[in-house]
């Protein structure tokens, strides 16, 4: 069962397919395009109307907010101007009567003029020392110090300061929300006499703000700019009076222009609004009015609902009418398309299709494939008797088939047809009798397939199968077919003879059951690589265990057979018995090893003999020559006055000197005495001797590590290096030779490298000389290796690698 989302995807795919089929019809495409255009135009006009009403609503909101802000500005300015005029009048009367020092005269003035403005709560006079000396409100005591107030600090330090507006506070005596405005009182000489202060109630201003039409989510503020504290807010929430607005929108806008309109959330509730703001005259006050954008959208959507309903109805009418017209058109087109499609299928079918008469004797209609199959054209066969395509030998069967087909209604059978040129070919016929509503036979439909190629393929398969069977059974090598798990499914006679098992016994076994335990892991790895398509086939030499327990060797070649998708079906293995060859190879390897050991022994004996001869020559002959030299010297001393004899003695002495040098050279060539001091000194001596003898610089590069070799190893390495230098001197034409010597506790590495002409290692390897072969065999006898790297014009590098783990002692 498919998951639900697969069904949804299938449904969507089918719907898209049907839609694409409909739209391929030009009429349907034009009708759909017209309907789509009308619907798009309807919704486009609706969208444009919504957009224009949205613009109009925002514009109206901006204008409304600006108008309310302007009205609030005028109201606050009027109140401040009236308060300022009152303070000026009170100040002039106080100066005229010089009442700033006379409390008894001051209090009546304040109490008489204080009630002149409803917004004023109290009028106060603070003297030059900051002490309150007069109040218009009898319930408010005097004598308090106001030196720390903002207005006193401002007026006492700024003589030319006009009306000063202070941040909002809650009156300490009245408990009412107020903000104060104040003016400086100065004498005729400009001396600071005190400050007149009017405490303005915010109630009247709040009533004006509350009367503004700002909606349920609108907000109006009167703000003290320096502190950004709220003096009046509508709606008036608990705790908002005197609270600082934490947002920067209003500050940035006021810094940019004294009035304007912006969109933001410069309020305490986070509601987005369209704000209009105005700075109130020269006073440190600002008024802002914000209309909530959500209410504008709500009003817009309310107005748009009716238009939207009409657009939906119109779209449904257009869409429904289009679908109805398309359905009718599609039924008509579908009928024509069905007829055309069936005609195309009939005309282009690969099988031959023919329509016969009700009695089954006449060909009334056929497709080109049927006529071509028999070598005729459609016109030539139409109306002909059906037996024209049957050879005489099959016409009796034709009559039987017609009768059976009339009885059964549908039959599938094989028969023979005849071509126009006379050759007979086999066919597969699918015959159906078509009846009318009353059961009468109307005509017969014949589907005919030429199966000549199928018959030829079947014959070829039979021959191939028999050929494989004969090859498999008669093969002189063992052959087996195994399934994916490795179980034998088929084996030949040679396989049975090879393993000693019968066919039934092998078919009950797995290839691993008769494989030598030491070869199973390697065999399984190679077989897995074959199954994983990492290779097409593999071969390996492996051991089998016969039924009698004997171990036998075979060269096994395995290949994989797959289906059309590349999925493994089975494997075919061929096993060639190589037991005798393996025994011969083993005997040859043993013989070769013995010969190599014999050669090494002979080389060792030769070196010992050289050592013995070198010592005999050096010690015995050298001593005799030295004694002879000494005797000649004594003769020369004794007969020094005999000049002819003196010349003869000098010639004899010179001849003895040359003989001594020759003896030393012969002894050194047989075996240098320096080898007794270690390999490194011997190589140093050999390099110096080579450089002196051949005038070719020879440098020894060593890491000064201790090299612990036995005499046999030292002699072998020395001789290989000596032979390499001899080859350099004879053939390399080198300018320099470097001998690198490195050693560890387990391994020795020596490289003799020259910058000479080099040579082709392949060509030299095919030569009959024994120089390089002798060097390699000398090292192989000690478990070492020789590596030669060279190319024409690139010099030669002879590498020696010798294991020190298996040293032998003499």
């Amino acid at each position: 069962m498919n998951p639900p989302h697969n069904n949804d995807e299938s449904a969507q795919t089918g719907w898209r397919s049907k839609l694409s089929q409909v739209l391929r019809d030009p009429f349907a495409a034009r009708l759909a395009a017209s309907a789509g255009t009308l619907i798009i135009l309807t919704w486009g006009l609706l969208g444009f109307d919504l957009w224009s009403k949205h613009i109009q609503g925002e514009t109206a909101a901006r204008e409304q907010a600006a108008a309310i802000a302007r009205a609030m500005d005028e109201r606050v300015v009027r109140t401040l101007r009236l308060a300022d005029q009152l303070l000026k009048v009170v100040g002039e009367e106080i100066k005229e009567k010089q009442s700033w020092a006379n409390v008894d005269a001051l209090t009546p003035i304040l109490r008489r003029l204080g009630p002149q403005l409803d917004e004023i709560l109290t009028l106060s006079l603070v003297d030059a020392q900051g002490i309150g000396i007069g109040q218009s409100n009898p319930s408010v005591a005097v004598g308090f110090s106001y030196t720390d107030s903002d207005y006193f600090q401002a007026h006492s330090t700024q003589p030319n300061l006009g009306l000063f507006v202070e941040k909002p506070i809650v009156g300490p005596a009245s408990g009412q929300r107020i903000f104060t405005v104040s003016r400086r009182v100065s004498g005729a000489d400009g001396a600071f006499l005190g400050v007149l202060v009017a405490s303005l109630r915010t109630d009247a201003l709040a009533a004006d703000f509350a009367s503004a039409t700002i909606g349920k989510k609108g907000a109006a503020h009167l703000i003290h700019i320096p502190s950004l504290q709220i003096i009046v807010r509508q709606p008036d929430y608990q705790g908002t009076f005197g609270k600082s607005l934490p947002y920067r929108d209003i500050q940035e806008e006021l810094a940019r222009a004294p009035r304007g309109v912006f969109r933001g959330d410069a309020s305490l509730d986070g509601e987005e609004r369209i704000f209009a703001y105005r700075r109130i005259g020269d006073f440190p006050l600002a008024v802002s009015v914000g209309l909530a954008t959500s209410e504008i959208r709500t009003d817009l959507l309310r107005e748009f609902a009716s238009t939207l309903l009409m657009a939906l109805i119109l779209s449904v009418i257009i869409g429904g009418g289009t679908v109805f017209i398309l359905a009718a058109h599609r039924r008509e087109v579908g009928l024509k398309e069905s007829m055309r499609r069936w005609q195309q299928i009939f005309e282009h079918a690969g099988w031959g299709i023919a329509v016969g008469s009700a009695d089954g004797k006449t060909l009334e209609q056929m497709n080109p494939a049927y006529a071509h199959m028999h070598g005729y054209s459609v016109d030539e066969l139409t109306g002909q008797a059906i037996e024209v395509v049957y050879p005489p030998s099959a016409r009796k069967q034709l009559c039987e088939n017609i009768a059976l087909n009339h009885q059964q209604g549908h039959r599938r059978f094989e028969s023979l047809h005849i071509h126009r040129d006379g050759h007979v070919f086999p066919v597969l016929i699918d015959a159906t009798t078509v009846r009318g509503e009353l059961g009468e036979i109307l005509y017969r439909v014949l589907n005919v397939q030429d199966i000549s190629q199928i018959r030829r393929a079947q014959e070829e398969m039979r021959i191939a199968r028999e050929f494989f069977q004969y090859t498999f059974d008669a093969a002189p090598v063992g052959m087996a077919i195994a399934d994916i798990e490795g179980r034998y499914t088929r084996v030949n006679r040679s396989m049975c003879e090879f393993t000693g098992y019968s066919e039934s016994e092998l078919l009950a076994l797995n290839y691993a059951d008769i494989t030598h335990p030491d070869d199973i892991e390697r065999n399984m790895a190679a077989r897995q690589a074959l199954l994983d398509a990492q290779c097409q086939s593999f071969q390996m030499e492996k051991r089998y265990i016969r039924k009698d327990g004997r171990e036998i060797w075979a060269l096994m070649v395995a290949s994989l057979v797959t289906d059309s998708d590349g999925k493994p079906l089975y494997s075919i293995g061929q096993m060639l018995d190589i037991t005798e060859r393996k025994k011969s190879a083993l005997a040859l390897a043993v013989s070769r090893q013995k010969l190599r050991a014999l050669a090494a022994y002979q080389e060792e004996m030769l070196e010992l003999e050289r050592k013995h001869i070198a010592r005999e020559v050096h010690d015995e002959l050298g001593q005799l020559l030295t004694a002879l030299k000494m005797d000649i010297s004594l003769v020369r001393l004794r007969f020094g006055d005999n000049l002819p004899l003196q010349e003869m003695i000098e010639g004899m002495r010179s001849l003895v000197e040359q003989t001594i040098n020759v003896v030393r050279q012969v002894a050194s060539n047989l075996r240098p005495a320096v080898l007794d001091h270690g390999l490194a000194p011997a190589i140093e001596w050999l390099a110096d001797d080579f450089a002196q003898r051949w005038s070719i610089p020879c440098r020894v590069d060593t890491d000064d590590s201790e090299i612990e070799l036995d005499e046999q190893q030292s002699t072998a390495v020395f001789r290989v290096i000596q032979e390499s230098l001899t080859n350099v001197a004879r053939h390399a034409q080198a300018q320099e030779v470097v001998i690198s010597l490195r050693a560890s506790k387990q391994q020795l590495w020596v490289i003799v490298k020259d910058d000479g002409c080099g040579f082709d290692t392949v060509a030299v390897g095919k030569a009959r000389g024994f120089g390089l072969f002798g060097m390699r065999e000398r090292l192989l006898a000690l478990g070492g290796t020789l590596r030669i790297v060279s190319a024409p014009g690139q010099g030669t590098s002879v590498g020696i690698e010798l294991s020190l783990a298996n040293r032998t002692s003499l």
Side-chain angles (χ1 to χ4, degrees), residues 373-376 388-392 417-425:
M373 181 188 306
H374 298 87
Y376 298 91
V388 73
V389 298
Y390 280 83
H417 277 199
I418 186 170
H419 193 270
R420 187 174 191 173
D421 60 8
H423 80 270
V424 178
F425 57 94

Side-chain angles (χ1 to χ4, degrees), residues 249-311:
D249 294 9
I250 189 65
Q251 300 179 49
E252 294 174 357
E253 294 295 334
L254 285 171
R256 189 178 297 113
R259 63 178 59 87
V261 180
F262 68 94
R263 181 190 293 267
D265 59 351
S267 59
L268 295 175
D269 53 11
E271 181 77 28
E272 184 187 48
R273 297 182 175 90
I274 296 176
F275 282 96
Y277 69 93
R278 296 175 67 92
R279 179 160 184 156
I280 300 177
D282 298 330
F283 305 112
L285 299 174
V287 64
S288 69
V289 176
L291 302 180
T293 56
S294 60
E295 292 186 341
I296 299 174
R297 289 193 296 269
T298 300
D299 294 340
L300 177 64
L301 292 176
R302 188 180 298 112
E303 294 179 7
F304 185 68
S306 58
T307 308
L308 177 64
L309 181 60
M310 292 182 62

Side-chain angles (χ1 to χ4, degrees), residues 152-170:
F152 183 79
Q153 295 289 337
H155 286 299
S156 63
T157 57
Q158 303 177 49
N160 298 323
L161 184 63
L163 186 68
F164 180 82
V165 180
E166 195 171 20
K167 61 186 178 183
I169 61 173
V170 177

